[in-house]
Amino acid sequence: MEKTIRETAKEIQARVEAKGNPYANGKGRAIMERLIQEKKQEQENAIREYQQNPEIRKMYDRLEQKTIVKENHGK
Amino acid sequence: MENDSDLWIYEYERNPDSKEHTFGFVTSQKVRYQIRFKPTDYLFENVPELSWQTFEFIITPVFVPPGVKPKKDERVPATVASIFYDFYRELPDNVVIYICDSSDRRERARERLFNSWYYDFKKDEPFMKLDVGLDPKQPDRIDFCVIMKLDNPYKFDILFSIEKLKADIESDK
């Protein structure tokens, strides 16, 4: 007999719970704080990479030209 | 990534010799944006199958011309949506999370902006978004959302994991 969504969900819930709780004892907040920190770091790195890597700046120069062409084309 | 039928979408490209899943585009105000889907292998630790399929969406203005204040630009959400499509076309079982940073108390504005991107992106496509507010009454609340395809094989695993995460954080006070 085909399982209902509720039965499937219960099975998965049991499976997830059997694996323990990776977020217990403050680990959940630590994971979220790590995500937030890494996001900030990633944004700083993106700006630094843009400033230091001429290939990336060339890509943006090319894209800027395409934006200008599209704008003119749309006029 | 030419798209002749949608001239109002900014052209975008993958970053050269950079990390994978990283794109760039330039607006008509000449603001240069980077979009990155950063691999995040530790959020769903109890579902190992998700470790290489979970990504954090990060948008960064890498260059804003001096004196320019980026204004509302409908092409930006449309472009972000198109990048999302490309990303999911390549890897349909991916899970994307977006964190609304609250350090400057502008998380609500970020949430609204992301929602506008999402609804541009979603249209009639089979995607789902979970909005998660961790500790909503606390000053250090954390808001994030999770986006995945409706037929993601780990959809329930993700839902239960988030429930656990929420319960743990809220009982931690």
Side-chain angles (χ1 to χ4, degrees):
Chain A
M1 198 174 75
E2 204 170 317
K3 281 185 212 161
T4 63
I5 291 178
R6 188 184 293 270
E7 285 167 340
T8 307
K10 276 196 165 183
E11 271 183 27
I12 295 170
Q13 184 173 21
R15 192 177 75 209
V16 170
E17 280 176 2
K19 288 177 186 168
N21 184 356
Y23 311 118
N25 305 318
K27 283 190 200 155
R29 183 168 288 280
I31 286 174
M32 293 314 295
E33 281 168 1
R34 180 176 166 191
L35 279 170
I36 292 166
Q37 279 310 313
E38 286 188 0
K39 178 179 177 176
K40 284 181 192 156
Q41 190 64 54
E42 194 70 31
Q43 289 178 311
E44 286 169 15
N45 290 348
I47 293 167
R48 193 167 34 250
E49 198 178 30
Y50 169 80
Q51 290 167 342
Q52 293 176 355
N53 187 333
E55 288 304 310
I56 291 178
R57 284 201 305 281
K58 270 187 211 164
M59 176 193 81
Y60 280 104
D61 290 345
R62 204 164 49 238
L63 288 167
E64 186 173 308
Q65 286 311 307
K66 287 183 177 181
T67 296
I68 292 167
V69 168
K70 274 195 168 185
E71 292 234 307
N72 290 338
H73 182 77
K75 278 178 187 168
Chain B
M1 313 265 173
E2 205 68 43
N3 191 346
D4 290 338
S5 64
D6 293 312
L7 280 178
W8 49 278
I9 290 176
Y10 292 121
E11 292 285 332
Y12 53 92
E13 286 183 23
R14 287 172 190 276
N15 271 27
D17 55 81
S18 179
K19 302 152 205 142
E20 56 179 354
H21 310 309
T22 305
F23 303 82
F25 65 91
V26 181
T27 71
S28 49
Q29 283 187 294
K30 297 187 170 52
V31 178
R32 299 179 170 199
Y33 282 100
Q34 186 199 81
I35 300 257
R36 175 151 158 75
F37 296 93
K38 179 184 171 297
T40 301
D41 60 1
Y42 53 89
L43 179 59
F44 300 114
E45 200 182 283
N46 54 342
V47 192
E49 298 86 347
L50 282 172
S51 64
W52 58 277
Q53 295 184 104
T54 305
F55 297 84
E56 183 177 0
F57 169 83
I58 301 173
I59 182 165
T60 309
V62 291
F63 174 76
V64 180
V68 167
K69 191 176 174 194
K71 59 182 180 192
K72 192 175 178 201
D73 179 346
E74 287 178 0
R75 292 175 184 171
V76 172
T79 307
V80 172
S82 185
I83 292 172
F84 256 88
Y85 271 123
D86 278 359
F87 184 63
Y88 274 100
R89 204 171 290 132
E90 273 178 40
L91 303 154
D93 288 343
N94 279 354
V95 178
V96 172
I97 62 163
Y98 175 68
I99 294 181
C100 302
D101 178 12
S102 62
S103 57
D104 57 2
R105 301 282 175 250
R106 292 183 59 211
E107 66 273 19
R108 288 274 160 254
R110 289 192 180 96
E111 196 178 348
R112 278 196 301 276
L113 187 60
F114 187 78
N115 279 340
S116 86
W117 296 336
Y118 174 73
Y119 290 110
D120 250 49
F121 152 68
K122 186 180 180 291
K123 296 202 171 84
D124 298 324
E125 297 294 321
F127 286 93
M128 65 186 286
K129 177 159 85 73
L130 303 171
D131 292 308
V132 187
L134 301 175
D135 253 3
K137 290 179 185 156
Q138 299 297 326
D140 55 348
R141 60 177 292 151
I142 301 170
D143 292 293
F144 70 103
C145 67
V146 181
I147 296 175
M148 65 188 127
K149 281 203 152 184
L150 268 175
D151 60 357
N152 187 301
Y154 300 104
K155 176 173 60 182
F156 288 115
D157 299 68
I158 293 165
L159 293 171
F160 292 129
S161 296
I162 288 173
E163 278 306 307
K164 273 176 182 273
L165 173 67
K166 208 169 148 59
D168 176 68
I169 287 182
E170 285 170 5
S171 68
D172 195 31
K173 292 278 160 188

